[in-house]
């Protein structure tokens, strides 16, 4: 799993978090997920593919606009 | 293939599926396990909604559901007296149990209603029953009373059932970082 930079805020119930991830297209993608899938500034994601400076990631949950996979800039991925 | 009660319990024992807290014996059927209703739920705030009559939701790339939900719903706690769901009412609720489906376990699941409640008109989801491999968290339920009578919801009541299915193979994300596909 990889850690992707995100703004994390508390969700509707104790175990829920809302994450905002910046996509390669500059859009802020909102994802509602479990607290255990986030840190204070990141979301745990799976890397699926790479293309030059971008990485295709699969999110733990679907974004509010319906995407499971989004392209992000590789500098959004935090070092291990 | 759908897991039977025996396989569900084997997968739970091996921690290939995690349900926390573990369901008690009476929650199982031959091919499913019941989950129960959590105390937290959210109701629509009609005072807020009335202010925005005519607003159209546009669920496109800029739509932020969590912000929408926080603006138009109010948090409630289910007491032992319960909450009466009127006909045509729609609320957001959660399962008491937390579910974890590990990527490498080759398991996905579906949350479905219980026939005993369905007969009264209670729906527990709105056409999105799939729980994908890798899911982790409490299941959000979209409770809607399609029946003619009010239904009292109480904390801990069996509210839905989970049906587990084995996947054919492991998804890409299960191999993340090992066999990453290169584009172009």
């Amino acid at each position: 799993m990889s850690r992707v930079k995100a703004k994390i805020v508390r969700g509707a119930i104790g175990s829920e978090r809302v994450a905002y991830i910046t996509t390669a297209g500059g859009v802020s993608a909102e994802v509602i997920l479990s607290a255990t899938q986030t840190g204070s500034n990141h979301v745990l994601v799976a890397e699926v593919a790479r293309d030059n400076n971008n990485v295709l990631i699969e999110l733990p949950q679907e974004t509010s606009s319906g995407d499971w996979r989004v392209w992000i800039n590789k500098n959004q991925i935090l070092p291990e | 293939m759908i897991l039977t009660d025996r396989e569900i319990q084997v997968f739970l024992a091996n921690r290939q599926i995690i349900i926390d807290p573990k369901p008690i014996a009476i929650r199982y059927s031959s091919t499913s396990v019941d989950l129960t209703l959590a105390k937290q739920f959210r109701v629509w705030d009609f005072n807020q909604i009335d202010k925005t009559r005519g607003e159209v939701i546009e669920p496109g790339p800029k739509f932020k559901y969590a912000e929408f939900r926080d603006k138009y719903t109010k948090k409630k706690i289910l007491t032992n007296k319960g909450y009466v769901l009127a006909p045509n009412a729609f609320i957001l609720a959660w399962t008491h149990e937390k579910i974890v489906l590990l990527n490498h376990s080759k398991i996905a699941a579906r949350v479905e209603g219980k026939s005993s409640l369905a007969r009264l008109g209670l729906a527990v989801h709105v056409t999105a029953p799939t729980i994908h491999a890798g899911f982790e968290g409490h299941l959000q339920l979209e409770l809607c009373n399609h029946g003619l009578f009010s239904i009292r919801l109480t904390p801990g009541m069996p509210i839905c059932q989970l049906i587990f299915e084995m996947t054919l193979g492991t998804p890409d994300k299960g191999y993340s970082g090992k066999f990453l596909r290169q584009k172009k």
Side-chain angles (χ1 to χ4, degrees), chain B residues 120-135:
Chain B
L120 303 176
L122 185 69
V124 298
H125 69 74
V126 181
T127 73
T130 309
I131 304 162
H132 297 268
F135 176 86

Side-chain angles (χ1 to χ4, degrees), chain A residues 15-16 28 30 36 47 61, chain B residues 64-65 69 136 138 176:
Chain A
S15 65
E16 186 184 281
S28 171
E30 181 192 73
T36 51
E47 291 186 32
Q61 289 291 312
Chain B
K64 300 285 185 283
Y65 172 73
R69 178 187 64 189
E136 191 169 334
H138 298 265
S176 185

